[in-house]
Amino acid sequence: MRNISSLLAQHHFWMPVSASSYSGEVDWIFYFILGVSAFFFVLICALMVLFVARYHAKPGDRAPGRTHHSFALEMSWTLIPLALVVIIFYYGFRGYIDMATPPANAYPIVVTAYKWGWSFQYPNGYVDDKLHIPAQRPISLVLQSQDVIHSLYIPAFRIKKDAVPGRYNKLWFQASESPTGDNVLEYDIYCAEYCGTGHSGMLSQVIVHEPTRFKAWLEDASNWVDKMAPAEAGAQLFKRRGCTQCHTTDGSALVGPTFKNAYGHKVTFKDGSSTIVDENYIRQSILDPGSQVVAGYDAVMPTYKGLLKDNEITALIEFIKTKSDKYQPAEVGSGGAESQPAATTQPAAATQPAGNAEGGT
C-alpha cells in the first residue's frame, strides 16, 4: 500500500501537486473511491442497456411467471458493497487518526485567522503573514479564529481544518520535498469556509526552507523591524497584525476608529472626557485599550501587552503619525525635533475590536 501511495504522490493526475508525507495516502483512497464509483456506474449502465435490448416486450409475448429469489445473487450484492465500504472506512479512519495525532517532536506554530487574512506565530514570538516551515520535519499547527469560522486549506499537503472562535483546533503535516541551497518551495493557502465579503482574497503561502537554513531565516526575520524605517515597519505591522480588519487610513468607518487625522487631534471618550492623541495615548491604546473607550465605539479590543515588542509599538505609532495632517517631520540636518502638538496629561485609550489589530485611537 505504501508503494501505491508513493506512486500516486509522483503522478497526481488532475490532483494538485503532492508535497506532504501523507498526501499519497489521501490520493490513494480518493482514487480508490473514484475507481469503485466509476466501475459500478459503467456496470449498471451496461446492464441496463443489455436488459432493455434483450428483454424488451415483443408482440405475442406472454407475461412472465412468478420469479423466485436468488440467494447467491442477494448475498453478492450485499457482501461485495459491504466489503468495499469496510475497506474505505479502514483506510479513511486510519488516515484520520494519523493526521489527528502530531508526533512528539513536531515544530509548533500558532495560526490565527481573521477577516480576512492569516497570521502565523513562531515559538520565539515572531509573527508572519506567510507560513514558513523547515522541510522534512513534522509541523504542528494550533488554529484559532478572532471573529468567524475560517478553514485553513493547503491543497498540496491535502489538509483542511476549521479555525473556530473560542476554541483551538490542531493538525500536523510534514513537507516531503526539500529545496536545495537558498531556494524555497512555495504552496498556496486558502480559506475553505465562506467568511464574508473578503473570503476570496484570504490567501497566503507555505514557504518551505531547507532544514539547516530555516533557523537562520527565522533569526533574521525576527529582527526585520530594526532593519526598516519606523513608519515603513509600522505599515507592514498594520497589515501583518490584521489592523486593516478594524481600522482604516482613509477616514472611512469600520469597527474601530480610523487612523486618518487621528494623531494630534482631539478625541472624546464615552465618559465625556477628552484628550489629544499623542505617542503616549497610542501606546496606552495598544497595551490597555479598555481604560478609555472612544465615543461611538464598543470596548472590544484585546490587550497586546506581551504580544508586541517596544520597537514594534514605536513603529506602529510612527505609521499612525504619518496619516495625520498634524504630523510634520523635521527636515534632515535642521537640528530640530519633529513638530508635535501639545497633549494633555490625561491617560486614555481607544477602543478596537477583538482581533489582530493594534494602535486603536
Side-chain angles (χ1 to χ4, degrees), residues 187-211:
Y187 305 101
D188 293 326
I189 296 177
Y190 302 93
C191 177
E193 183 80 25
Y194 182 71
C195 52
T197 57
H199 167 71
S200 61
M202 193 169 170
L203 308 172
S204 188
Q205 285 184 314
V206 180
I207 310 297
V208 183
H209 298 260
E210 194 275 330

Side-chain angles (χ1 to χ4, degrees), residues 40-67:
F40 281 104
F41 173 78
V42 172
L43 177 63
I44 292 171
C45 290
L47 290 175
M48 287 173 58
V49 173
L50 175 63
F51 292 161
V52 168
R54 183 170 180 178
Y55 299 110
H56 69 281
K58 302 181 183 65
D61 283 352
R62 308 177 87 180
R66 182 178 180 182
T67 302

Side-chain angles (χ1 to χ4, degrees), residues 5-6 8-12 15-27 133-139 154-159 172-179 184-188 206-209:
S5 299
S6 300
L8 289 172
Q10 299 173 11
H11 304 280
H12 41 78
M15 296 284 281
V17 62
S18 176
S20 72
S21 55
Y22 50 65
S23 57
E25 295 188 19
V26 173
D27 290 355
I133 62 170
Q136 299 178 349
R137 177 175 178 182
I139 307 297
I154 309 176
F157 294 164
R158 310 295 192 267
I159 59 173
W172 78 278
F173 60 87
Q174 179 174 314
S176 57
E177 300 293 328
S178 179
V184 296
L185 299 175
E186 300 181 357
Y187 305 101
D188 293 326
V206 180
I207 310 297
V208 183
H209 298 260

Side-chain angles (χ1 to χ4, degrees), residues 98-162:
D98 185 27
M99 294 179 185
T101 310
N105 64 334
Y107 185 78
I109 299 175
V110 176
V111 182
T112 301
Y114 57 89
K115 295 189 297 185
W116 286 275
W118 303 96
S119 68
F120 304 93
Q121 185 174 20
Y122 295 83
N124 67 348
Y126 172 67
V127 176
D128 201 292
D129 56 357
K130 294 184 178 181
L131 177 57
H132 293 258
I133 62 170
Q136 299 178 349
R137 177 175 178 182
I139 307 297
S140 175
L141 301 183
V142 178
L143 285 75
Q144 59 182 347
S145 173
Q146 295 285 6
D147 34 58
V148 299
I149 298 177
H150 302 275
S151 186
L152 182 75
Y153 177 42
I154 309 176
F157 294 164
R158 310 295 192 267
I159 59 173
K160 185 175 78 71
K161 195 77 170 183
D162 285 353

